[in-house]
Amino acid sequence: MNASNAVGGENRPVGDPEVRDEPGFGEEGFVRNEADKASHSRFSLVNAFACAISGLLYALKTQRNMKIHVAAAVLAVILGFVLAIDPLSWAAVAVCIALVPAVECVNTALESVVDLVSPGYADLAKHAKDCAAGAVLLCAIGSLIVACAVFLPPAFALFCQ
Ligand SMILES: Nc1ncnc2c1ncn2[C@@H]1O[C@H](COP(=O)(O)OP(=O)(O)OP(=O)(O)O)[C@@H](O)[C@H]1O
């Protein structure tokens, strides 16, 4: 299947120079096609970071769950300082803080691709989205267990002394 887009209801290849200048393709109409990838001419490390940050911001803006993950991460960091957790506990908290939003980003990416290729109902689309949501749920449950293991003992010690 050829990569294409539907600006203004038309389907044209993403490498079409006219498409690059149209709204909806980044502020500078930035789109990479196969020729760009082969030449590596237009894609610096800064571009790569900018795209990654743009993806994180997109997920944060559009996904309610992402906002919840970020709020939980902020709460975990505050609790970590208040309860003076040890370095190993900080490492466990840091892994959870990175892992859950990362999986949510992958979930968001998968939802976007599914919506692109299957705008109407399809059993496979349902399974794909449900599995991705399941992955987020598993990570969130694991992180909750880690949070209980890390924060509950020092919290009890603090309030029961
Ligand atoms: N094209 C489709 N075909 C079949 N079922 C779909 C389709 N799109 C969505 N669904 C069903 O609706 C659910 C919610 O999909 P939606 O795209 O609204 O994700 P969401 O509300 O952002 O979910 P999440 O909370 O996991 O981010 C999916 O898990 C799936 O069961």
Side-chain angles (χ1 to χ4, degrees):
M1 184 172 62
N2 285 333
S4 64
N5 64 72
V7 175
E10 299 172 48
N11 278 321
R12 280 183 280 159
V14 290
D16 185 337
E18 284 180 27
V19 170
R20 290 168 186 248
D21 297 332
E22 288 175 344
F25 286 85
E27 285 174 9
E28 295 157 359
F30 180 74
V31 178
R32 291 188 86 203
N33 61 15
E34 288 307 313
D36 293 327
K37 285 181 189 171
S39 70
H40 297 286
S41 59
R42 302 176 60 242
F43 205 63
S44 64
L45 205 56
V46 174
N47 284 139
F49 275 115
C51 288
I53 300 294
S54 165
L56 288 173
L57 292 178
Y58 174 78
L60 188 59
K61 264 190 270 178
T62 60
Q63 303 296 307
R64 182 196 52 197
N65 287 352
M66 192 67 158
K67 296 183 178 93
I68 295 172
H69 301 323
V70 170
V74 171
L75 182 66
V77 170
I78 292 170
L79 277 177
F81 282 115
V82 169
L83 299 172
I85 60 176
D86 59 77
L88 201 60
S89 297
W90 271 118
V93 169
V95 168
C96 293
I97 284 176
L99 185 69
V100 180
V103 176
E104 185 66 47
C105 272
V106 174
N107 178 40
T108 305
L110 188 135
E111 282 174 2
S112 298
V113 174
V114 168
D115 289 342
L116 185 68
V117 300
S118 177
Y121 182 92
D123 281 341
L124 281 174
K126 174 179 166 44
H127 297 322
K129 286 192 176 186
D130 288 352
C131 286
V136 177
L137 181 64
L138 279 181
C139 288
I141 291 172
S143 296
L144 195 61
I145 293 169
V146 169
C148 290
V150 165
F151 295 125
L152 286 186
F156 278 128
L158 187 70
F159 291 112
C160 298
Q161 66 186 3

